[in-house]
Each structure stands twice: as C-alpha cells, then as structure tokens.
Amino acid sequence: MTRKQKRGVMIGGGVAILGLALILVLFALKDSIVFFHTPSDIVEKGVPAGQRIRLGGLVEQGSVVRGQGTTISFKVTDTLKEIPVSFTGVLPDLFKEGQGVVAEGVLDGNGEFKADTVLAKHDENYMPRDVAKALEAKGVKLGASAHPGQLKAEMP
Amino acid sequence: MVFWILVAGLVAGVTLVIMRPLMRQPITPGGIADADVAVYKDQLKEIAADEARGAIAANEAESARTEIARRLLRVTQDNEKSDSPLRASARNRFVTPVTIATAIALPVVSLGLYLAYGAPGMPAQPLSERIAEASEASKPNDLIAKVEQRLREHPEDGMGWDVIAPVYSAMGRYEDAAESYRKAVNLLGENPKRLQDFANARIRLENGIVPDDARKALQRVLVLEPQAIEPRIWLALAKEQDGHLAEAAADYKSLLDKAPEDAPWRKVLEERLANLAPAAGAAANNKTVAETAPAGTPAPAAPQGAPGGPDASAVMSMSPQDRQAFITSMVDGLAARLKADGSDAAGWVKLIRAYQVLGRHDDAVKALNDARTNLKGNEVGLAQVEDLARQLGLGS
Amino acid sequence: MIVELGHFALILALLVAVVQVVVPMFGAAIRDERMMRVAEPAALSQFLLIALAFFALMHAYVTSDFSVLNVAENSHSTKPLIYKMAGVWGNHEGSMLLWVLILALFGAAVALFGNNLPPTLKARVLSVQASIAVAFLLFSLLTSNPFLRLDPAPSDGRGLNPILQDPALAFHPPFLYTGYVGFSIAFSFAIAALIEGRIDAAWARWVRPWTLAAWMFLTIGIAMGSWWAYYELGWGGWWFWDPVENASFMPWLAGTALLHSALVMEKREALKIWTVLLAILTFSLSLMGTFIVRSGVLTSVHSFAVDPARGVFILAILVLFTGGGLALFALRAKDMQAGSLFQPISREGSLVLNNLLLVTATATVLVGTLYPMALEGLTGEKISVGPPFFNMTFGPLMIPLLIALPVGPLLAWKRGDFLGAMQRLSLAFLAALVAVVAVYAVEHRGPWLAPFGIALGVYVMAGAVIEWASRVKVGSAGLDEIARRATNLPRSAYGTLFAHFGVGMLVVGIIATSAYREEHILAMKPGEKVSVDGYDVAFTGVERARGPNYSEDIADFAVTRNGAAVARLQPSKRLYDAPPQPTTEAGIHASWRGDLYVVIGDAQPGGGYAVRAYFNPLVRFIWLGALIMFLGGGISLSDRRLRVGAPSRHRLAAPVPAE
C-alpha cells in the first residue's frame, strides 16, 4: 500500500468508528433520556401516561402511607399541585415528609405516578437543584435552608 | 512576635533558595540534545537485548537499529547546528535585574497580600484550650461579679436579687443569699417560695438554728399557703430549739398524722420524735424508737434539727448515714473554728445549741465551759451564753 | 499562629509559582542556564510551602480550631481523629488545597527526578506546571480560601457529611487527585515541547513514566470511589454514570489512550501530533472534571456549594489552558515532521485502533455528561441522562476494543502477522468458548448476551497470559529456559500482563454482576427468612447501639447455606449527631462466588423492617481487576528503562549504565 492508501485506511477507520458512535449517541439520546417535571408541569402540560419521566418536588406533609409489604405511597407537591406516587422498595435515608425528592417512573392512566426509583439527596439542607429551581420558578418561596447555596461537601 | 520571626525566616529562606542559582557562577551544561542521545543509545541496547532474547527477528532488529541511528544522527546534527552550548551567561544583562526583582517582590508582595487577606496575630483557638478557657471564664465568680456590678448600679432590680440569691445559696454564702432574698421580697413582694428560700438561707446561716426572722418568714408562708408542710416542720423544730419540747413533739405528731404514708419527710419526723421522747417524757409513746436513742448519745439516724448545707429537702432526701456525716461535719467545723478563735459569742451560742439539739449533751456542757473560758472579759457575750445555758437547762 | 503561618505559606507559594513561571521560561528563551535553574528550587519550595499550608489546615482540623471558618463549617469536635484529618479534603476549599498540593508535588518530582531531561525542556515544563499552579493558587486564595477566620469562634463545628465518614472515602480523594492532577505533567511536557519546537521519540519516553504514574493512581482512585459507593450508599450498585464519576472517568479513558500512543511514539516516532494532542486533551478533561465538580453546575450527589464566582473562575482557567494549549498546538503542529510508516495490521495499527476507540468512548461519555447541562442552559428543559444512555453508547464501543486488546501485543511493529497472532490466540478463543458453555450451564437467567460478555473478559485474561507465555517461549523451551526468560523479561512486559489481565477480570466482574444479580426487596419481621442465591438469610432482630458520634439500629441476620452457618450479617441504620443525618451501613458477606449484600430500611408498622438483600455474583472481580491494573502500572513504572536518559549534568560524558 502506498502512504496515501494507508492514510486512507486510517482515516476511513476513524470516520467509521466516529460515525458509529454518533449514531449510537443519537439513538441513545432519543430513547434513554428522561425529562424532569414538577407536579404543576404534569397537570398543566399533560404528560402522556407511560412516558418515563422524573418527578420532582416536596413530599407532602402527612401524605406518606406505608401499605402492604414494601409498597409506600405518598404525594409529591410543588405547593401548587400534587401528584400521588406509589413506590415499592426501600426509601433512601433522607426521604422525609416536607423534604425534596425526585422520583423516576411513569404515570399510569389514572394520574398516579408509579415510581421505580426514589432519590432524596444526601443532606438535610439539600434540596435537589432541579427541584429548588423548578419550585422557585413557580414562585414558591423557599427557606434559606432549602437553597442549593447550603449544599454540603460530598464526594469530590 | 514568634509568628513574625517565623514569617521572616520563611520569606528569607525561600527567597535565598530560589535566588541561589542566579547568584552562582554559571556552569556550562552540555548540548541540548545530549539527553536525547542518551535515550537513543539506550534504545539501541534494548534492541540488542530483545534480539538476544529472540523476542524480535534479526531483520526486524536491523531495521529498528537503522531507524534509531537515523534519529541519533538527526539530534546530533541539531546539536551542532543550533544548540551551541548554552550561553555562558556571566555577562547576561538580565540576570541582575531578575535577581533584584525577585529578591524584592517575593517578600514585599507576599507580605502585602498576607496583610490584606490574612488575620495576623489572631491566635489559634483549638478546642482543648477553649474548653479550658471556657471553664475559666464561666466560673460563677465572674458571672456573679457581673450581676453584682449591675445590682450595685441598679439596686432596685428585684429580679436581679431573685436571680443571684439561689446562686449565693448554692455557693454557701448564706448571709448574702438571705440578704438578697430579703431585698427581692421587698422589691417584688412576698411569695411562698421566696419566703421559704429566705428562711432556708437564714436557717443555714445559723447552722440549723431557726432564727426569729426565719420564723416570721415561715409564718408568712403559712399565711399565704396554709397547706405547706415545710414551714411547719421548721417551726416545730424551732419550738424544740427553744426548749418547748412537749409542744414540738405534739407538732411532730400532728405532722406525722397528716403525712401521707410515702412522704419523704415522714421518717425524719419519726426520728425527731423518737429523739425527743426521753426529754419530753410524755410525748414518747414509741418504746422501740426511744430505746434506740437514749439521751446523750448520738442517734445512728441523726436528728434533723441542724442542717447547714443545701436545702432542707435535699438533706432530708439524704440517706441516714450521709445526713449524719453531713451534720456532724457542719458542727465540727464550727467547733474547730471556735477552738481557733473563741471570741465569737454568737458562734458559741450556735454550737452549744447545736450540740444540745443533736442530743450530745456532754459536748454541749463542755462547749458551755469552753465558752465561759474564752469569753472572759466579754460581758455581753458571756451574758448571751449564760442566757442560753439557762434556757436549755444546762447546769453550771 | 500555625493557621496564619499556613495562610502566609500559601500566599508565598503563589509568589514562588509566579517566579517559577517567569524566570525559567525567560531563561530558556535566552538560553541562560542560571535562570533556567531557578525552576528547581522554586518547584521544591513551592511544594514545601503548600505542604506547610496543607498541614497547618490539617492541624486546625485535628485540634478542632473553629476559629477557622473552613473547620467550623466542615468538622465537629466529636468526630474520630481519622475523619478530622480526612475532613481537610472533604470540602471544597480543603480539596482545592489538596489539588494544588498534588500539582506542586508533581512539579517537585520533575525537579528532583528529571535530571535526564534536556535543561531547556525541564525549565519549560516546570514553568508551565507553575502556571497551572498560579491559576489554582489564585483560585484558592481569591474564591476558596481555606484560611478565613471566624471571630468569635463558634462553640462547635457543623460536622462532616456522615456518608463521607468512611475509610475508603477518606483516602479516595488523594488517590483520585494524584491521578487526574498528575496528567498536568503530560500537559506541561506537551506545551513545553510545543514551545521548544522539538518533539521526538525521546520526548515520549520522558512523558511516559509521569503519565503512567498518574494513570495508576487514577485507576485505583476511581476503583476506591466505586467500592465506597457500593458499600456505603446501600444500593448495591458500584457505578452510577454520575457526572462526577464521569468527570474522573473521562481523563482515565483519554489517559489510557495517551499511555498507548506515547508507546508508539517512543518506539517508532509515529503518532507524534496525535500524542501531543492527547496530552493536552487529557489534562483538559481533568480540568473540566474539576470544573464540573467544583463549580456546582451539576445535580449530583457529589455537588459542592454553589458559588457562581467559583464556577466562572474555574471556567476561565479551563478555557485559558485548554484554549491556549490547543491554539499553540494548531500553530506548531504543521511544523512537526511526519512519523514513520507502518501497515494497518501492525502493533502501531492496533494501538491506533485502541486510541480511536478510547477517544470515541471518551467523547460519548462527554456528550452524556454535558448534554443535560447544555440543554438546560439553552432551552431550560431539564433532562437526566442515566445508565441506559451510557450502556447504549459506551458499551458497544468497548466490544471491539476488548476483542482487539489481546491481538495488538502479539503483532510485530511496522507489519504484523495477523494470522499468526490469531493462531497464538487459539487457546484464548477456546477458553472463551468454554466460558460461554460454562456460564450457560450454571445460569439460565439473564440476557442472552451475558455469557458472551463474560467470555470476552475470559478471552482478554487468557490473551494477556498467552502474550506473556509466548514471550518466555512456554511450549517451545525447557523449564530452565522459561525461568531464565521469565526473569530476564523487562518489567514493563509484566506490567502489560497485569494491566491487561486486570481489564479482563474487570469485564468478567461487570458483566456477571450486571446480568446475574439477584435482588429481593421485602418487609421482614424478626424470625422471618428469605432465600438469596442458595443462602438462607434469617432476620433475628434489631438492637440499638451507640458509636463515637452516632447512634444506630443494628439488625442481625443469620446466614446459613444448606443448614450450615455461614455468617452473621449486621447491616445498620445510623443517625449521626452532627449533622443529624441518617446513613445506611450494608452487611456484606464476601466470597469468591460473589457478595451477599443486605441492608435494612425503615421500620414498618407492626415491627417489621424493609429489607433489601442482593447477591452480586463476582462483584469483587471489579475492584480486584482494578487493583491488578494498578499493580501492573506500578511494575511497569519500576522498569529502569523508563528512567533512563541523560545522566546528571555533572557527568556529561559518563556512559549510560550498562545493562
């Protein structure tokens, strides 16, 4: 092979790999990303049932009900609207009424949110940034302790 | 000061170390490509080693050698062409200004920045030291001094007196405590607790003898709070101390009759009563108790009459042994003080009375005699002691 | 006083770094030996000063000096000593101090051990390294000063986040930082060489040991972080594709590529431009990782305090160094001579493939990490990109990489014998085939691809051994000869063996755990049992206990297998005193087959507890593989060939020590 041909092989290989990666990335972005919504978003915009989303807000005071086995139901609120959530599993350490929470899952036909993952952040002062921002955008005043400015150090 | 010495040392040391190369005579280093040459020579050796090991074929080794030789040649040419040995720069006109600039900038700028951002002179405050300091600083004395200062300026501050009185009491400064309670009562008005606390302070000041002002206060408590038990106990005790033993015994009995089965003071009253039995005669109706406490010997479960420590109820809640030890230590303390300085007539009065109350009749007589010896020439004092002797029926 | 001395030392270090940037660079430009020499004492004293500052801060932590704001905010008097010390880097300011300390450490190491470098190159490397230090010291002093004082001091500190109070995490940041800050040296070498205008095979040899050291520590640092997440977060997961994990993983991928391309450059003087570019990109990714983690742009369990000033400052540093580096590269790259020739099927060819795949994989991780931020910034739409994205993009790229991995080392330089290599790998293919069958025989569950994934790992492991065996002529030489060859083999060959074998183990562990994990989530009352992968796990009860700075509910599980007692697991839920925060401690029974992993959740009405029990098959292979890779790096680093170069300047004519 001549020098040019060799270079051609190299460049061809590189372009092929990059192209493959690009296709993978585009497909993955189409299929596997999850949108974040607040309860008001869901009520106002209407999120189709069955679409995988993240729901963020505060756990409504007094709404946590521990049912049979490990199924737990509670309501996520942004103080304007609330969405009932059911979850089977073990809640994270910092799951508490009145605290910020992010649940991932799908809405069923009746407006209930079936979560398969519940995230509560690892600090009592901490409200997930998305939640804090979304709530502020809705005009909900947060106490100083709920501001991300209060975040504590985590793993570097 | 030490800090600034260390800072100065640090700056000077670092500046000198950094400037050292600038102040030396320059050495003439080798050509710039010598390092490359060393690497390539080493690579040639590796190829020889690999070939010897059979890791690469002879023809591969040969072509690799050619390649490296070409690199070697190139760097050697470069070396000769452009990189004549580095300039022996003794006369380099930049070195001196750079040296001076460094020597000035390092200390000046670093100190300047530090003064702007740092907190020089602010001591470290490790927790261990702060704990030591804190316990030093929060010593009651200092706090008291502050409150006292305020009360000197604002003696009309009743709350202040009310606050400081129990502190005095806890510290054993009963005189000040009593005075503070008195002022608090005057300024804020009477209430049962304040009066009771005042009485308690007075009683402790008198080593368990219930003085007149305490009695008045206790009576006021009873007026305000007729069901109160504590003033009654003290008042009964006062009667006993006055020598009205039969009345005292009657009061104890009536208190006992009214006391609930589980009342903590019940036991104390029983003991008091038992103690009184031989002296009061008529009042004694409990044989077994009477036997355990013959007159003149200290009862194992000591009488309650002479507390001088914390709170009556606190003393009451002590175990009998503790109570005994506590009272004995109070009385012995007073005796020791009078032995050292026998001129205090009031002290002798207290001591004699305390011995008598404790049932230590012999000690009371001895103390009376000691008082007479010590108070010779003090007509007033002697008169008080003789009065008491008559009152208690201690013969001469 | 010690605290203030530390503060002053940090400021002085900044000044020293400024001198170290200016004087040697100028000296190298005008070829003044004395000015170039300033770099060495400057690098050493810069390191010592930062170390002084660092230990002053640590002293403040150990003595609980709450007059230091940073200590008051992040420590607590009741914390155990080790976490008081580790608390130094458990927060933004302190970890930036650790960052510059390690940066200065690498500079000092080059000053001390870089005697084989040409004087101008060394001066310039140290100068560039110091310029990074200046940027980060300024950042530290201006926006994240750990020495700010509080007067009066509060009576006690706010405490360290309890989930960080863990031995693995206490030592994870220093390793991780040694890794990704270590790539600064490769960057400095690249910039210095671009300024110098001379990049050749020798340059690659000088860069390699530093890159290797950084890579080693990054490997073990990431592994420790993953190990910590596995047993402390209580989810039984070991990798979350969290942006902060990605922040350290991207430099690792690029660094791995750099390590391999520098090899080609050293041996064949090919891929010069590419290698220099990779050196710049690798450290840029480290800087970007620092930006992502430190600026608080993320929603992540790892986020630090959000402070826009900090974010903008680090972004400026990132732009300056990456942009500056790439601009310089663009200016100089065209002047570089083309490298040597090679056929696509050759050692070089395989390493090029390795580089292409690794860099592309880095790019996919980069997209997955930055896309949510970019989208939110542009449209306000909030999304999360989770494991499915990375499994779909990163995973497929790793398959050809792993298939090619054992082949490359068996190919000769310049022109390889592909069929010969395949022949030599026949045993590895056989091993892989056996693995597929064996896995199917044991496990019928799981995705159908999983046995092939495990087989791929086995194939990589076997391939690493075969490469070594063929080097020492196993099968064609006598035992004595094999032993002789095995001892004579350069250490770097053993490094390759270990590192590649470790990769194989890692793959086996990852696939086995992901595909065959058994998970039970249930409510249990004392006396109840659950069966997990053949283990009978009986819940015997919960007891309350008190630790040094927390109270905990310890659950007790008796584990039996076929009636024989195996272990007692005692997972617990802790409530720390300061800050009052709960954590979950997992109970883990480890064996070669895998980990039995039990955590308890909330108490339920009626005396039960939510319990999660997992069996994670072969999960330890993941960290064991990483540890073996780390050891491989260490063995390779100890190879004297990496240290060879010019003798020290005073013995110019001395010959290179004979072998």
Side-chain angles (χ1 to χ4, degrees):
Chain A
M1 275 194 274
T2 66
R3 192 181 183 107
K4 238 180 190 158
Q5 281 172 318
K6 276 179 210 155
R7 187 169 282 172
V9 171
M10 298 278 181
I11 292 173
V15 168
I17 290 172
L18 280 170
L20 173 77
L22 194 66
I23 291 166
L24 287 172
V25 165
L26 290 177
F27 265 101
L29 282 180
K30 191 162 157 278
D31 291 351
S32 65
I33 57 170
V34 178
F35 284 85
F36 177 94
H37 295 285
T38 61
S40 299
D41 288 344
I42 291 174
V43 174
E44 285 158 19
K45 291 184 201 159
V47 173
Q51 186 193 331
R52 202 174 165 73
I53 58 164
R54 280 189 168 196
L55 169 67
L58 303 169
V59 183
E60 193 170 70
Q61 290 289 353
S63 69
V64 177
V65 178
R66 287 169 208 278
Q68 286 301 305
T70 51
T71 298
I72 294 144
S73 65
F74 54 91
K75 284 182 179 155
V76 170
T77 173
D78 54 6
T79 72
L80 302 174
K81 295 281 189 315
E82 75 263 344
I83 298 283
V85 178
S86 73
F87 169 68
T88 300
V90 177
L91 289 169
D93 291 334
L94 289 173
F95 181 88
K96 240 191 243 167
E97 290 186 353
Q99 296 283 326
V101 69
V102 174
E104 191 169 326
V106 294
L107 279 167
D108 67 7
N110 311 320
E112 197 188 58
F113 190 76
K114 302 273 181 209
D116 50 35
T117 312
V118 171
L119 308 164
K121 291 298 179 172
H122 284 89
D123 188 285
E124 54 165 359
N125 295 327
Y126 179 56
M127 171 171 303
R129 179 172 147 281
D130 289 342
V131 176
K133 268 194 171 175
L135 291 185
E136 284 195 330
K138 298 266 172 227
V140 177
K141 283 272 170 274
L142 300 169
S145 69
H147 272 276
Q150 295 277 317
L151 299 199
K152 292 307 297 166
E154 303 269 351
M155 188 168 96
Chain B
M1 194 58 213
V2 182
F3 173 70
W4 290 113
I5 292 170
L6 286 172
V7 164
L10 206 58
V11 176
V14 166
T15 311
L16 283 178
V17 166
I18 289 176
M19 293 194 325
R20 216 174 67 106
L22 294 172
M23 298 188 296
R24 281 191 288 109
Q25 280 300 309
I27 56 165
T28 310
I32 199 160
D34 287 339
D36 297 54
V37 172
V39 169
Y40 297 139
K41 281 186 175 158
D42 192 65
Q43 283 189 333
L44 283 176
K45 271 209 201 84
E46 275 163 37
I47 288 177
D50 277 353
E51 193 183 7
R53 245 199 315 267
I56 49 174
N59 61 336
E60 280 174 33
E62 204 40 58
S63 78
R65 261 196 284 271
T66 324
E67 228 172 69
I68 293 168
R70 220 179 297 142
R71 284 179 220 158
L72 251 175
L73 189 67
R74 201 179 59 228
V75 290
T76 329
Q77 280 169 351
D78 279 359
N79 223 11
E80 283 162 3
K81 194 168 58 193
S82 62
D83 293 324
S84 49
L86 294 175
R87 200 185 295 179
S89 40
R91 284 163 297 141
N92 185 334
R93 63 201 160 89
F94 294 111
V95 170
T96 316
V98 164
T99 312
I100 293 170
T102 306
I104 293 172
L106 266 186
V108 171
V109 180
S110 61
L111 277 171
L113 282 175
Y114 174 70
L115 288 175
Y117 286 96
M122 183 168 168
Q125 301 179 25
L127 192 66
S128 51
E129 264 176 38
R130 290 177 58 212
I131 286 170
E133 265 174 34
S135 53
E136 192 89 359
S138 62
K139 261 191 181 153
N141 286 337
D142 293 358
L143 295 175
I144 290 165
K146 273 185 196 157
V147 178
E148 281 173 343
Q149 175 66 29
R150 175 171 163 71
L151 288 173
R152 263 196 295 280
E153 288 160 17
H154 301 278
E156 77 288 353
D157 178 6
M159 283 307 293
W161 294 113
D162 216 8
V163 163
I164 200 154
V167 179
Y168 283 141
S169 208
M171 291 168 70
R173 290 167 65 178
Y174 298 119
E175 200 164 354
D176 294 330
E179 198 52 39
S180 305
Y181 278 126
R182 192 200 304 281
K183 285 180 176 148
V185 170
N186 290 342
L187 291 163
L188 301 174
E190 288 180 347
N191 75 18
K193 175 159 191 327
R194 221 169 268 145
L195 288 167
Q196 179 68 60
D197 287 345
F198 167 73
N200 288 353
R202 288 291 294 127
I203 293 165
R204 280 183 204 113
L205 180 62
E206 299 297 335
N207 288 303
I209 308 301
V210 185
D212 284 340
D213 48 5
R215 291 178 201 197
K216 285 193 191 111
L218 291 166
Q219 276 148 5
R220 287 293 304 155
V221 175
L222 283 177
V223 171
L224 296 168
E225 202 181 300
Q227 306 82 13
I229 301 290
E230 205 186 344
R232 287 180 200 280
I233 298 174
W234 288 116
L235 286 170
L237 186 68
K239 285 181 184 157
E240 190 190 335
Q241 286 166 353
D242 287 349
H244 307 306
L245 301 181
E247 280 180 56
D251 283 356
Y252 287 143
K253 258 183 85 74
S254 83
L255 278 168
L256 267 174
D257 291 343
K258 280 184 248 165
E261 271 313 306
D262 56 355
W265 61 88
R266 201 179 169 85
K267 199 162 172 233
V268 183
L269 290 175
E270 277 166 2
E271 281 164 7
R272 267 328 303 151
L273 194 55
N275 227 10
L276 278 178
N285 60 355
N286 188 332
K287 252 179 162 179
T288 48
V289 176
E291 275 167 8
T292 62
T297 48
Q304 186 48 41
D311 205 54
S313 54
V315 175
M316 280 178 182
S317 62
M318 284 177 173
S319 72
Q321 289 83 356
D322 287 348
R323 210 183 300 139
Q324 169 75 23
F326 175 66
I327 293 163
T328 311
S329 76
M330 292 303 299
V331 176
D332 290 349
L334 181 59
R337 184 161 69 79
L338 291 170
K339 202 167 196 167
D341 173 16
S343 62
D344 176 11
W348 286 114
V349 170
K350 279 180 209 164
L351 183 65
I352 294 161
R353 203 176 246 172
Y355 279 140
Q356 186 64 15
V357 168
L358 283 166
R360 289 158 70 174
H361 183 77
D362 294 350
D363 286 333
V365 173
K366 188 172 170 293
L368 176 62
N369 291 332
D370 287 347
R372 285 172 178 155
T373 325
N374 275 300
L375 293 173
K376 252 182 203 139
N378 178 353
E379 293 299 332
V380 186
L382 265 178
Q384 282 177 2
V385 171
E386 292 303 338
D387 256 334
L388 178 69
R390 261 194 309 281
Q391 209 181 346
L392 295 178
L394 293 170
S396 38
Chain C
M1 188 184 79
I2 294 178
V3 176
E4 289 302 314
L5 207 59
H7 193 176
F8 179 73
L10 198 61
I11 291 171
L12 190 54
L14 171 68
L15 269 291
V16 170
V18 171
V19 171
Q20 191 186 335
V21 174
V22 178
V23 178
M25 190 60 89
F26 184 55
I30 63 164
R31 300 254 182 276
D32 183 284
E33 187 267 345
R34 292 179 298 181
M35 277 155 94
M36 288 195 281
R37 283 265 169 261
V38 167
E40 290 160 36
L44 290 173
S45 39
Q46 185 205 334
F47 168 66
L48 290 176
L49 286 168
I50 296 175
L52 177 63
F54 185 79
F55 286 107
L57 186 61
M58 188 178 275
H59 180 263
Y61 267 87
V62 169
T63 58
S64 292
D65 184 347
F66 298 123
S67 69
V68 180
L69 177 65
N70 188 246
V71 180
E73 283 185 340
N74 300 293
S75 192
H76 193 274
S77 56
T78 59
K79 215 163 54 169
L81 181 66
I82 177 173
Y83 301 125
K84 283 183 183 165
M85 292 164 79
V88 175
W89 55 78
N91 62 85
H92 173 81
E93 291 83 359
S95 68
M96 286 320 296
L97 190 57
L98 179 66
W99 209 100
V100 288
L101 177 69
I102 289 168
L103 190 70
L105 172 69
F106 273 92
V110 171
L112 270 182
F113 304 115
N115 288 334
N116 54 352
L117 301 176
T120 49
L121 182 67
K122 185 177 181 185
R124 284 176 168 135
V125 167
L126 288 175
S127 170
V128 175
Q129 184 78 4
S131 70
I132 305 169
V134 169
F136 278 93
L137 282 169
L138 273 176
F139 174 72
S140 197
L141 285 167
L142 295 179
T143 72
S144 323
N145 194 331
F147 292 109
L148 296 182
R149 304 294 295 271
L150 265 183
D151 197 18
S155 58
D156 212 330
R158 291 213 300 210
L160 174 68
N161 190 329
I163 59 167
L164 304 182
Q165 296 188 25
D166 175 272
L169 201 67
F171 297 103
H172 149 80
F175 281 103
L176 198 69
Y177 282 19
T178 307
Y180 72 69
V181 178
F183 287 126
S184 63
I185 288 290
F187 176 84
S188 296
F189 265 95
I191 300 299
L194 287 171
I195 293 173
E196 192 131 325
R198 252 165 41 97
I199 298 180
D200 50 26
W203 178 89
R205 167 162 282 191
W206 294 319
V207 174
R208 272 183 64 211
W210 301 106
T211 311
L212 189 55
W215 177 87
M216 262 172 77
F217 283 105
L218 191 54
T219 306
I220 201 73
I222 293 174
M224 279 169 98
S226 145
W227 165 235
W228 167 80
Y230 173 70
Y231 75 80
E232 179 67 30
L233 293 184
W235 295 21
W238 49 273
W239 190 259
F240 301 95
W241 291 106
D242 179 286
V244 174
E245 287 168 328
N246 296 348
S248 60
F249 190 49
M250 288 187 279
W252 187 86
L253 288 169
T256 309
L258 173 62
L259 213 52
H260 290 90
S261 78
L263 184 67
V264 178
M265 182 167 165
E266 181 195 334
K267 296 287 187 207
R268 295 293 326 278
E269 214 171 281
L271 301 185
K272 281 198 290 195
I273 298 174
W274 175 245
T275 305
V276 170
L277 181 62
L278 260 185
I280 295 173
L281 288 181
T282 302
F283 183 60
S284 297
L285 287 167
S286 294
L287 284 177
M288 195 177 65
T290 308
F291 167 71
I292 289 177
V293 177
R294 294 292 143 206
S295 66
V297 294
L298 292 177
T299 307
S300 148
V301 285
H302 299 90
S303 288
F304 276 70
V306 176
D307 181 342
R310 288 174 180 170
V312 171
F313 203 122
I314 304 189
L315 193 60
I317 295 176
L318 174 64
V319 169
L320 179 70
F321 284 94
T322 308
L326 291 177
L328 188 62
F329 173 80
L331 273 175
R332 293 296 180 107
K334 59 180 185 295
D335 300 338
M336 280 187 253
Q337 285 169 332
S340 317
L341 301 175
F342 53 87
Q343 296 288 338
I345 301 290
S346 63
R347 182 84 65 88
E348 298 92 319
S350 70
L351 288 168
V352 168
L353 182 67
N354 146 308
N355 266 248
L356 274 172
L357 289 166
L358 281 171
V359 171
T360 310
T362 312
T364 61
V365 177
L366 186 68
V367 169
T369 310
L370 295 185
Y371 182 67
M373 293 176 217
L375 189 70
E376 191 185 336
L378 292 174
T379 68
E381 193 98 59
K382 293 184 205 64
I383 58 162
S384 76
V385 171
F389 171 86
F390 296 99
N391 293 343
M392 264 182 79
T393 55
F394 181 80
L397 286 170
M398 288 298 106
I399 294 169
L401 181 70
L402 291 169
I403 291 173
L405 191 152
V407 183
L410 292 173
L411 296 174
W413 293 103
K414 270 179 150 177
R415 183 195 299 271
D417 174 6
F418 186 70
L419 286 179
M422 288 293 121
Q423 228 160 23
R424 284 199 274 175
L425 279 175
S426 54
L427 268 175
F429 293 127
L430 191 66
L433 206 63
V434 171
V436 174
V437 174
V439 172
Y440 265 127
V442 177
E443 283 286 1
H444 311 290
R445 306 174 291 127
W448 65 273
L449 264 174
F452 294 97
I454 290 178
L456 189 57
V458 170
Y459 157 78
V460 170
M461 285 159 75
V465 176
I466 287 170
E467 200 252 333
W468 172 82
S470 73
R471 278 187 165 223
V472 299
K473 297 233 184 299
V474 171
S476 63
L479 269 184
D480 287 356
E481 173 68 6
I482 289 170
R484 197 184 61 77
R485 283 171 169 278
T487 42
N488 282 343
L489 209 59
R491 293 221 191 126
S492 62
Y494 283 98
T496 308
L497 166 67
F498 272 64
H500 287 176
F501 191 84
V503 172
M505 275 187 88
L506 187 75
V507 171
V508 171
I510 290 172
I511 304 284
T513 298
S514 311
Y516 300 115
R517 146 191 273 211
E518 193 179 324
E519 179 174 353
H520 298 265
I521 298 179
L522 69 168
M524 285 177 95
K525 286 181 183 164
E528 291 182 345
K529 265 189 188 181
V530 59
S531 175
V532 185
D533 195 73
Y535 290 105
D536 288 316
V537 182
F539 183 27
T540 45
V542 173
E543 256 182 38
R544 181 147 278 245
R546 176 80 211 159
N549 54 349
Y550 55 83
S551 57
E552 61 180 341
D553 287 330
I554 304 179
D556 188 70
F557 290 87
V559 180
T560 52
R561 195 178 178 83
N562 302 326
V566 176
R568 296 194 83 81
L569 293 183
Q570 300 196 309
S572 67
K573 259 191 115 62
R574 285 182 186 168
L575 182 66
Y576 278 78
D577 303 337
Q581 185 175 315
T583 68
T584 303
E585 304 291 314
I588 300 176
H589 169 66
S591 71
W592 279 106
R593 292 178 49 248
D595 281 11
L596 179 64
Y597 183 110
V598 181
V599 286
I600 55 165
D602 302 310
Q604 302 198 321
Y609 276 82
V611 173
R612 272 182 298 176
Y614 303 103
F615 186 77
N616 296 321
L618 302 185
V619 68
R620 307 245 147 184
F621 274 40
I622 295 172
W623 304 294
L624 209 57
L627 184 66
I628 289 173
M629 287 159 80
F630 170 77
L631 291 176
I635 293 167
S636 203
L637 197 58
S638 71
D639 192 319
R640 58 159 286 285
R641 294 190 301 173
L642 281 181
R643 296 191 300 267
V644 161
S648 79
R649 60 184 180 275
H650 303 296
R651 300 183 289 122
L652 276 180
V656 176
E659 214 167 328

